[in-house]
Amino acid sequence: MFPIFWILLLLPLVSAQTYHWGPCPTPSVQPNFSLQQYLGTWYEIAKLPASFEKGKCIQADYTLRGDGTIRVLNSQFYKGKVRTVEGTAVVQDPKNPAKLGVSFSYFTPYSPYWVLSTDYVSGAVVYSCTDVLRIFHVDYAWILGRSRFLPAEKVEYARQLLAKENIDTFKMSVTDQTGCD
């Protein structure tokens, strides 16, 4: 009964997320990933539901800090205002640099931020997943672009890549990037 109590307690926290039974999938990541080429601005084209992203004009800016960590500045237009949050990303294993960890608080551990695919100049596919007691998992996925809009065939390629890696894209939605400055 103890694990069921915790599951019931956690369900409201993940209700705006995408969750599935069982542990996280382990998708392949971008081979020979270059952090230097990945840095810069990325615009959110589509995503799996995320309670922390409810606005429009969502983008992320990645810059390298002097200490080797990555500054992550996420912004969105929500309820009439531009809202930003700053976090830190780290390469957790230099042998696998496409598997980053990101945190937006000193009090939380790093969450997975895995770059599954990128050409560095137009698009990227990113995945994150957290196991909850290995009973179920909460996952996030993003299709990103260097511009606010990607051609339909690039978006479809990204969706197919996620599906091939056993990541359910049924709840994926397009991010509104219209009317942005």
Side-chain angles (χ1 to χ4, degrees):
M1 183 164 127
F2 184 72
I4 292 172
F5 168 77
W6 284 107
I7 291 170
L8 292 174
L9 185 66
L10 291 170
L11 281 177
L13 299 174
V14 297
S15 63
Q17 318 305 330
T18 304
Y19 57 96
H20 302 281
W21 293 110
C24 291
T26 53
S28 300
V29 295
Q30 175 76 28
N32 303 311
F33 178 73
S34 169
L35 179 60
Q36 279 297 333
Q37 291 180 42
Y38 190 78
L39 297 173
T41 300
W42 289 97
Y43 299 95
E44 185 180 275
I45 306 301
K47 67 171 174 285
L48 288 178
S51 62
F52 49 86
E53 292 181 337
K54 294 182 180 178
K56 61 182 264 178
C57 305
I58 299 172
Q59 70 183 64
D61 295 292
Y62 301 93
T63 53
L64 195 59
R65 293 185 177 126
D67 65 0
T69 63
I70 301 120
R71 177 181 182 246
V72 181
L73 184 64
N74 287 351
S75 64
Q76 66 180 316
F77 189 76
Y78 183 62
K79 293 188 176 183
K81 295 181 181 177
V82 174
R83 300 174 189 269
T84 61
V85 62
E86 184 173 333
T88 298
V90 295
V91 175
Q92 295 181 306
D93 178 2
K95 294 177 188 166
N96 206 344
K99 289 185 175 182
L100 296 111
V102 67
S103 176
F104 290 92
S105 167
Y106 291 111
F107 305 107
T108 60
Y110 288 103
S111 296
Y113 181 97
W114 292 6
V115 181
L116 305 188
S117 177
T118 185
D119 63 2
Y120 304 104
V121 295
S122 65
V125 180
V126 176
Y127 180 67
S128 180
C129 188
T130 302
D131 279 322
V132 178
L133 304 172
R134 300 205 44 91
I135 296 170
F136 69 94
H137 64 273
V138 180
D139 58 3
Y140 305 91
W142 296 271
I143 299 171
L144 306 174
R146 288 291 192 185
S147 62
R148 292 193 186 275
F149 303 96
L150 279 180
E153 61 272 8
K154 283 203 177 265
V155 175
E156 184 55 29
Y157 166 80
R159 284 178 180 265
Q160 287 178 6
L161 176 90
L162 289 164
K164 184 183 96 177
E165 295 290 351
N166 296 314
I167 299 163
D168 184 2
T169 60
F170 178 74
K171 292 184 178 180
M172 187 164 266
S173 63
V174 174
T175 301
D176 185 358
Q177 291 286 356
T178 60
C180 307
D181 291 335

